[in-house]
Amino acid sequence: MHTDPTFSLAWLIPLFPLVGFLINGFFGAKLPKAVSGGLATVAVFSSFAVAFYLFLGLTGEDASNRIHVVPGLSWFAIAADPATSLKQLAINFELLIDPLSIVMIMIITGVGGLIHLYSTAYMAAEKNYARFFTYLNLFIFFMLLLVMGNNLLVLFVGWEGVGLCSYLLIGYYNEKKSAGDAAKKAMIVNRIGDVGVLIGMFLLFQYFGTLDFRTGASGVIGILDRPDLHTMFTAGVIALIVLMLFLGATGKSAQFPLYVWLPDAMEGPTPVSALIHAATMVTAGVYMLSRLHSLFELSDLAMTTVAVVGIATALFAATMGLMQNDIKRVLAYSTVSQLGYMFAACGAGVFAAGMFHVVTHAFFKACLFLGSGSVIHAIEHGMHHKSDAAHGDEEHDTTHEAHDAIPAGGPDPHDPQDMRNMGGLLSKIPTTAATMIIATLAISGIPLFAGYYSKDQIIWRLWQVTGATPYANWIFWGVGVLTAFITAFYMFRLVVKTFFGPARSEAAKIAKDSSLAMLFPLVVLAFLSCTTGWAFLRYEQFADFLAPSVSTPGYLNPVHDANMEFGLGLGLLIGIVLSIAACIGLYQGGKKAQLQSPEVRANHTILSPGWLYWVVLNKYFVDEAYNFWFVKLGKIFAGELYTGFEEKVIDGFLVNGIGRFTQASASYLRKGQNGFVRSYALSMVIGIVIVLVGCLAGLGRGW
Amino acid sequence: MASVPLESYLMLSAILFCIGVVGVMIKRNPIVIFMCVELMLNAVNLTFAAFSRYRDLGDASGQPLPSASHYVDGQIMIIFVMAVAAAEVAVGLGILVSIFRNRVSINVDEIDLMKG
């Protein structure tokens, strides 16, 4: 805990994107495209400059001094009442600058800035250019709030804010129904997780009385210091709290069973996929786990759940990635899979390794997504060119079509995202191809590329998992390794199908590389993808820097067995290389079949078309199962409620019942209103007599 | 001095009141009803006068009260009641004239506009 006036500068970091959002939001439509896009980009890079300055400040300090709470406003406070022993809820709008948050801030603003720059070129042809940058800046603002807030409630504000921006940006092409549906799906699936976060926060406040991350000795992070920890709180309560929070993380970070929204989120523009659905927002769950690591470490059950969900998602999503033909969907499943690795690392207790993978993944996955955007752009350009030549001024639909995974008679020839329309692009778009191949080597885990250092670290740590069952670490390690093989395979499948072999469509033959504003971020990210981990930011350095934020002293006692680590690492590497070789062999070998008639091309598969292929191709029918169990049964349930409860009980009994009762009682009471003055007089007299008799009787009894 | 006891006045007053009540309930001519109402009011006036008078005479044991002044509250109330009754009759008769002009009858059983 340390306060330093320099760190008040941290307020500038979220301020720049907020200003950019306000200017673009109110005046963007009137501004020239260069101004609104440039403004948004400059705002994010300004934040990056401030963040980098603070980062340099942090690296110069001792481990114990690396945590700074930047004082802010008192948001609200509900005062305690000592008489009724009500707890006090005081929420301050403070910022927390520590190694964990500064790493996230630098990813968000650094990678985010590059993606903004890329977008200025990628979105240049769009009508609603300013709207796009408005949302993008708003997203950066909320994401910064999420990682900078010093308590769970500020985090939750950011959490919901990025969810909103994700919704808005997935549905950016709002004239397309599939985009709207995907946006709604993302929103609804995330709601399920967010309910978990809310319940977790309620329980946390109920039992710990605070939501702060750092407030001296107390606060969520500081609860380990409490002497009454093990007497006051049962393990069950803590397990419930962290599992609820983890439910939120599975929603935001697209883990099983709430991952279904992420592949559909690819309906958004490609820079959005790179920024929100690869580099930043989806890692928010990993950030939250790391931020609350001391809480998660209290519950073995929760940690095991995190690890199992993570590693299962990694494998599950990787197999689904094998069969996709849409270039962005391959990357989407790959993202889900890599996020699974991060959660597995968190579950194994090595939050630093998880965060390291967040960093390297942000570099290579953003590079891959931006590269795929560049490819799509090139193909679209080719399609425009071709249709212009063929049909003169006739309008041609080249919008990003919703792509169905099931190849009903081959690829849609007008789909610029379908890899079956690509091929041979290496010579047409060499810069994009080179950067994507570098990023692919990184994600596959080839040494000297960023992904190797983080993934190798995670898989090695999975070997050291000490579980309840004796061979738990074999299972974790085995699944991790298998996933790494599959990852290498499907990523090289993407590269081979896109860049090598013959061009499989007219558009691919005349594709041209993108402009400099799009290539520059690609080159920067590719450079980072092949230098991080050895040229700078080695894992040990990173873990040391992060240690004050994400490691509990004495929680992990890893075995240092250099021979074992080397042996396992070498085995992993050989396996990866073999699976890459197998992939290249199979797809290059299948070249002839791909060139045959469209029917053969459509049905060409590397596996025999058995039931397994069919099941994986259809993504294990998870969407169909959700559709049946939740959407369809939900609709039936709602329909039954409508006809059975709403119409009969609410309308029939309560609403109309009150009306009928009034009518019926009135028809009896109106008989008393006979209009005869004398009968009214009589009833008055009777009333008076009753009152009098009553009073007299009361008097007689001494009332 | 008080040869007639208070109870007699009260009994007379109650009888007059009951006659008035019965008259209001059974008569159909509003003029007679008004007269019966007057009868009830005057029954009340009689009790006022009687109580006022007997209070002035002394307490339960016949001893004069220490105050030298006479108690006239009851008599004052009687003046009020008479004034209000006169006003009420004026209004009521006005309504009756109006009803007669409209319906050519003032039989209360035929005036049943309030019938539900």
Side-chain angles (χ1 to χ4, degrees):
Chain A
M1 271 292 283
H2 194 66
T3 48
D4 182 344
T6 316
F7 284 86
S8 302
L9 282 176
W11 286 105
L12 287 177
I13 297 173
L15 187 69
F16 287 126
L18 182 64
V19 170
F21 155 70
L22 291 174
I23 294 176
N24 262 335
F26 285 113
F27 311 109
K30 298 186 189 77
L31 295 171
K33 281 184 176 180
V35 174
S36 67
L39 183 80
T41 311
V42 168
V44 180
F45 275 125
S46 308
S47 298
F48 178 72
V50 177
F52 194 70
Y53 176 70
L54 296 183
F55 169 71
L56 290 181
L58 276 184
T59 50
E61 284 172 333
D62 291 340
S64 55
N65 281 341
R66 275 189 221 136
I67 289 156
H68 297 262
V69 175
V70 183
L73 307 167
S74 172
W75 186 3
F76 63 82
I78 298 164
D81 184 354
T84 54
S85 74
L86 279 173
K87 293 191 188 70
Q88 182 169 5
L89 179 62
I91 299 293
N92 293 327
F93 215 95
E94 294 172 332
L95 302 184
L96 177 61
I97 302 295
D98 70 344
L100 179 60
S101 62
I102 203 80
V103 163
M104 288 300 290
I105 292 166
M106 287 183 37
I107 293 173
I108 294 160
T109 54
V111 177
L114 289 172
I115 293 169
H116 273 69
L117 178 61
Y118 177 95
S119 308
T120 55
Y122 187 85
M123 303 300 286
E126 297 293 335
K127 290 191 297 288
N128 300 313
Y129 191 76
R131 177 160 69 90
F132 181 76
F133 281 98
T134 307
Y135 293 161
L136 224 51
N137 266 358
L138 183 65
F139 168 78
I140 296 278
F141 167 72
F142 276 125
M143 192 67 208
L144 288 169
L145 212 57
L146 194 162
V147 298
M148 292 173 83
N150 188 27
N151 60 54
L152 209 49
L153 205 61
V154 177
L155 182 148
F156 191 68
V157 172
W159 188 272
E160 290 300 302
V162 292
L164 167 71
C165 293
S166 168
Y167 165 81
L168 291 171
L169 284 165
I170 294 169
Y172 175 75
Y173 295 117
N174 53 13
E175 70 278 13
K176 258 170 59 186
K177 187 176 185 307
S178 61
D181 287 346
K184 277 187 282 182
K185 187 170 177 181
M187 196 70 168
I188 291 163
V189 173
N190 268 300
R191 285 285 77 68
I192 299 169
D194 293 347
V195 170
V197 178
L198 275 176
I199 294 173
M201 282 204 293
F202 296 156
L203 288 172
L204 205 56
F205 177 69
Q206 174 72 27
Y207 288 96
F208 292 92
T210 180
L211 296 175
D212 287 350
F213 295 139
R214 298 271 178 185
T215 49
S218 67
V220 174
I221 296 292
I223 56 164
L224 283 176
D225 304 336
R226 296 176 66 137
D228 54 352
L229 185 69
H230 294 287
T231 52
M232 254 178 86
F233 312 116
T234 58
V237 168
I238 290 175
L240 187 60
I241 291 173
V242 292
L243 284 176
M244 279 297 154
L245 292 172
F246 179 60
L247 178 65
T250 59
K252 198 55 94 198
S253 294
Q255 294 298 290
F256 188 82
L258 298 180
Y259 70 94
V260 288
W261 65 272
L262 188 60
D264 285 19
M266 297 301 125
E267 289 290 338
T270 310
V272 171
S273 311
L275 177 64
I276 302 185
H277 306 124
T280 57
M281 185 187 85
V282 288
T283 61
V286 184
Y287 167 80
M288 184 172 75
L289 259 64
S290 304
R291 180 54 83 203
L292 299 173
H293 69 98
S294 49
L295 204 57
F296 277 82
E297 283 165 359
L298 290 175
S299 169
D300 283 343
L301 172 68
M303 290 296 268
T304 311
T305 309
V306 172
V308 169
V309 168
I311 202 70
T313 309
L315 179 65
F316 189 61
T319 56
M320 286 189 276
L322 279 173
M323 302 293 181
Q324 298 299 312
N325 285 315
D326 182 312
I327 186 166
K328 283 179 72 185
R329 277 179 180 260
V330 176
L331 294 175
Y333 282 109
S334 148
T335 304
V336 175
S337 172
Q338 299 301 311
L339 288 164
Y341 270 126
M342 298 173 203
F343 278 102
C346 292
V350 273
F351 293 91
M355 285 306 296
F356 195 50
H357 203 51
V358 168
V359 175
T360 59
H361 178 256
F363 295 155
F364 61 68
K365 188 51 68 62
C367 184
L368 283 169
F369 263 118
L370 296 186
S372 75
S374 184
V375 168
I376 294 163
H377 223 249
I379 297 282
E380 268 184 348
H381 172 266
M383 286 175 172
H384 267 294
H385 206 269
K386 188 185 72 178
S387 69
D388 283 354
H391 309 290
D393 57 353
E394 188 188 330
E395 278 287 317
H396 207 89
D397 180 27
T398 51
T399 50
H400 306 233
E401 283 294 328
H403 182 61
D404 198 340
I406 301 159
D412 173 7
H414 300 301
D415 184 354
Q417 302 191 19
D418 196 320
M419 291 192 292
R420 288 168 295 186
N421 290 333
M422 299 175 187
L425 288 171
L426 180 64
S427 54
K428 310 290 189 307
I429 48 174
T431 318
T432 305
T435 55
M436 275 191 86
I437 289 169
I438 289 172
T440 304
L441 289 168
I443 194 177
S444 304
I446 303 296
L448 297 185
F449 295 93
Y452 167 73
Y453 298 97
S454 52
K455 201 188 279 184
D456 187 55
Q457 192 62 229
I458 290 174
I459 292 174
W460 164 237
R461 294 309 186 118
L462 288 176
W463 175 257
Q464 298 180 337
V465 166
T466 46
T469 52
Y471 290 102
N473 63 336
W474 283 82
I475 298 167
F476 278 116
W477 184 83
V479 175
V481 165
L482 182 61
T483 308
F485 296 164
I486 298 174
T487 306
F489 190 93
Y490 69 71
M491 285 311 297
F492 270 86
R493 170 177 175 266
L494 183 149
V495 164
V496 169
K497 283 193 114 171
T498 310
F499 296 116
F500 294 94
R504 283 185 295 274
S505 71
E506 290 301 310
K509 283 179 185 149
I510 51 173
K512 266 170 55 182
D513 221 339
S514 311
S515 64
L516 193 63
M518 282 168 71
L519 294 181
F520 174 71
L522 277 174
V523 172
V524 173
L525 289 167
F527 174 75
L528 290 170
S529 302
C530 64
T531 52
T532 312
W534 60 276
F536 69 97
L537 204 69
R538 285 185 298 111
Y539 173 70
E540 291 74 20
Q541 279 180 328
F542 183 80
D544 273 353
F545 175 64
L546 219 57
S549 299
V550 299
S551 70
T552 309
Y555 178 70
L556 277 185
N557 295 307
V559 190
H560 291 291
D561 185 343
N563 289 335
M564 183 63 110
E565 183 170 6
F566 180 77
L568 290 177
L570 192 65
L572 170 65
L573 192 58
I574 292 169
I576 287 171
V577 172
L578 283 179
S579 66
I580 292 172
C583 172
I584 293 172
L586 279 167
Y587 279 91
Q588 292 293 81
K591 207 157 59 178
K592 280 180 190 145
Q594 282 166 4
L595 278 176
Q596 287 167 359
S597 63
E599 290 75 31
V600 176
R601 213 172 62 186
N603 297 321
H604 173 74
T605 59
I606 55 155
L607 298 173
S608 61
W611 65 271
L612 187 64
Y613 171 76
W614 180 70
V615 167
V616 179
L617 181 67
N618 288 296
K619 298 166 285 180
Y620 297 99
F621 296 97
V622 172
D623 274 325
E624 284 76 8
Y626 282 0
N627 212 21
F628 176 75
W629 285 107
F630 297 114
V631 178
K632 217 167 193 175
L633 288 190
K635 275 182 180 168
I636 291 171
F637 181 62
E640 286 301 314
L641 275 186
Y642 178 70
T643 53
F645 188 72
E646 163 81 23
E647 284 189 338
K648 292 206 175 91
V649 178
I650 303 279
D651 280 356
F653 183 70
L654 289 178
V655 178
N656 289 337
I658 288 172
R660 275 199 302 273
F661 171 77
T662 312
Q663 269 183 339
S665 54
S667 73
Y668 287 105
L669 287 176
R670 70 200 289 269
K671 288 174 183 162
Q673 301 288 326
N674 54 11
F676 291 119
V677 179
R678 292 183 297 140
S679 80
Y680 297 154
L682 178 64
S683 55
M684 254 173 75
V685 169
I686 292 169
I688 289 168
V689 168
I690 290 170
V691 170
L692 270 179
V693 169
C695 287
L696 289 176
L699 276 179
R701 289 168 179 243
W703 288 348
Chain B
M1 176 184 168
S3 54
V4 183
L6 180 61
E7 289 79 8
S8 307
Y9 288 106
L10 295 184
M11 288 296 288
L12 177 62
S13 170
I15 289 165
L16 284 176
F17 190 84
C18 288
I19 291 170
V21 167
V22 171
V24 166
M25 286 194 292
I26 64 170
K27 286 297 174 186
R28 291 177 192 172
N29 189 331
I31 306 293
V32 181
I33 291 175
F34 269 126
M35 287 158 69
C36 293
V37 169
E38 289 298 316
L39 202 58
M40 285 154 71
L41 289 172
N42 281 317
V44 174
N45 284 348
L46 183 59
T47 52
F48 272 128
F51 277 123
S52 182
R53 174 69 183 146
Y54 276 81
R55 195 180 177 202
D56 212 11
L57 285 178
D59 61 13
S61 59
Q63 291 298 313
L65 292 168
S67 169
S69 64
H70 291 288
Y71 288 92
V72 291
D73 306 20
Q75 282 93 322
I76 291 170
M77 282 307 295
I78 291 167
I79 304 296
F80 274 120
V81 169
M82 285 179 161
V84 170
E88 174 227 317
V89 168
V91 173
L93 289 177
I95 292 172
L96 285 180
V97 169
S98 176
I99 289 173
F100 185 77
R101 279 182 184 159
N102 278 318
R103 312 189 68 148
V104 206
S105 160
I106 49 170
N107 185 343
V108 290
D109 283 358
E110 291 170 21
I111 305 167
D112 55 359
L113 288 173
M114 294 280 278
K115 187 170 163 58

